[in-house]
Amino acid sequence: MDLSLRPLDESGFGAVVDANLATDAERLAPQLAAALHQYRLLIVPRQHLTHADLLTVASCFGTVDTSVDRRYAVGGFPGLTVISNIVEDGTHIGVYDGDNEEEWHADNSFKPQLTSATMLYSVIAPEHGGETRFADATRAYADLPAAVRQRIDPMRARHSLEQLGALQSQASGGQSSIAAGSLAAGPEVEHPLVLTHPVTGAQSLLLGSMVISGITTLAKQESRTLLEELLDHATSAPYVHAHRWSQGDLVVWDNLATLHTASPCDSSRHRRLLYRAAVR
């Protein structure tokens, strides 16, 4: 059976998948992986998935990354993490960086090896707020003037976990899952400013509104100006899809070709609970 796909629009970024991944994930794995590389963002609504199902689906896209924050790991299911604004007995049950979190990034860019794909599954969806926004970093790069592409192609940027934690704390009144978590310690790493996808060969902008401390070959102010200009371009309306969550939505994105951010959500009125898995 062929995978049923409906593109989100004519841009080629994102597609809705019609499938029952609880029963068909392994059989559809090659088609799912190919679809992710083509569309960079897959949305699979109306799913009913167990923890084991989620890891099976994640493995369709690569090797599940089990190096996660131990505080929010799902016991017995290595690689599965809780994302939530829910508090129980005075403690957040999942990764939470404040109600007003907005931070464009690619997952784990502060590590030497980036995540290749990330998956989120919604169990409790807020009625208002809490959207996840995705930016097509591939098309954003392709649309840059040729002179800009030529300038930035050889550049490399420093990604700092320490800076990320500090800026998250400033932006959210002292709340930072990164700064307080078991992944908090780590040196800066360097990545290309322009990634070449290992499967598709397409080039994409690798940016981050909080994690990048600078471009290695530029002075601080010149680096900041260029990074802000590129991020403003990549996250402008033509390249962004905002996903409003419903219970049972499963969303997978190509982390080497997209950027994403959470959106504000009032945790005092609207609870959200998702499970996340990432692959290498």
Side-chain angles (χ1 to χ4, degrees):
M1 183 178 73
D2 289 337
L3 189 65
S4 176
L5 295 166
R6 175 172 55 83
L8 292 177
D9 55 39
E10 296 179 353
S11 72
F13 180 52
V16 177
V17 178
D18 181 14
N20 181 355
L21 297 183
T23 58
D24 297 338
E26 289 181 302
R27 181 170 55 81
L28 293 173
Q31 295 180 64
L32 287 166
L36 183 64
H37 292 143
Q38 178 179 354
Y39 291 102
R40 302 180 287 288
L41 172 66
L42 300 180
I43 299 167
V44 195
R46 300 179 300 278
Q47 299 301 293
H48 302 278
L49 303 171
T50 66
H51 292 338
D53 291 336
L54 289 172
L55 292 181
T56 297
V57 175
S59 66
C60 294
F61 303 98
T63 301
V64 176
D65 185 358
T66 58
S67 177
V68 300
D69 192 326
R70 293 186 297 273
R71 294 175 302 164
Y72 306 124
V74 179
F77 298 91
L80 210 57
T81 301
V82 180
I83 311 294
S84 183
N85 63 6
I86 297 171
V87 176
E88 293 181 353
D89 299 325
T91 302
H92 283 283
I93 67 170
V95 177
Y96 170 75
D97 292 312
D99 281 9
N100 297 310
E101 180 189 7
E102 290 185 278
E103 181 228 334
W104 286 103
H105 64 286
D107 285 336
N108 287 328
S109 72
F110 49 79
K111 294 183 178 182
Q113 183 181 15
L114 274 73
T115 293
S116 59
T118 305
M119 182 180 81
L120 282 176
Y121 177 62
S122 175
V123 177
I124 300 175
E127 292 184 11
H128 299 283
E131 299 90 353
T132 302
R133 287 178 282 157
F134 299 93
D136 187 351
T138 303
R139 190 160 62 94
Y141 169 80
D143 286 350
L144 287 169
V148 175
R149 296 199 306 270
Q150 185 176 14
R151 179 191 178 200
I152 67 175
D153 279 352
M155 290 183 175
R156 297 179 64 83
R158 295 183 296 270
H159 294 244
S160 169
L161 184 61
E162 181 179 0
Q163 174 178 286
L164 174 60
L167 292 180
Q168 281 183 335
S169 293
Q170 291 176 21
S172 58
Q175 183 74 43
S176 171
S177 61
I178 286 289
S182 56
L183 302 177
E188 286 191 341
V189 300
E190 289 185 13
H191 291 296
L193 193 59
V194 178
L195 285 179
T196 299
H197 198 286
V199 176
T200 68
Q203 292 179 288
S204 303
L205 293 167
L206 176 58
L207 302 168
S209 56
M210 292 185 182
V211 72
I212 296 180
S213 62
I215 296 172
T216 60
T217 54
L218 298 182
K220 185 175 182 179
Q221 186 55 53
E222 185 180 6
S223 172
R224 180 182 293 118
T225 298
L226 177 58
L227 289 169
E228 288 177 352
E229 290 175 349
L230 292 173
L231 188 64
D232 286 346
H233 166 71
T235 59
S236 61
Y239 308 111
V240 172
H241 171 74
H243 181 69
R244 180 176 291 280
W245 291 95
S246 296
Q247 184 181 17
D249 283 354
L250 184 134
V251 176
V252 188
W253 63 94
D254 187 331
N255 193 59
L256 305 179
T258 64
L259 304 170
H260 65 282
T261 181
S263 297
C265 182
D266 184 350
S267 61
S268 68
R269 300 176 60 196
H270 303 291
R271 303 199 311 167
R272 65 194 300 258
L273 172 63
L274 307 100
Y275 292 103
R276 179 176 66 193
V279 302
R280 296 180 277 109

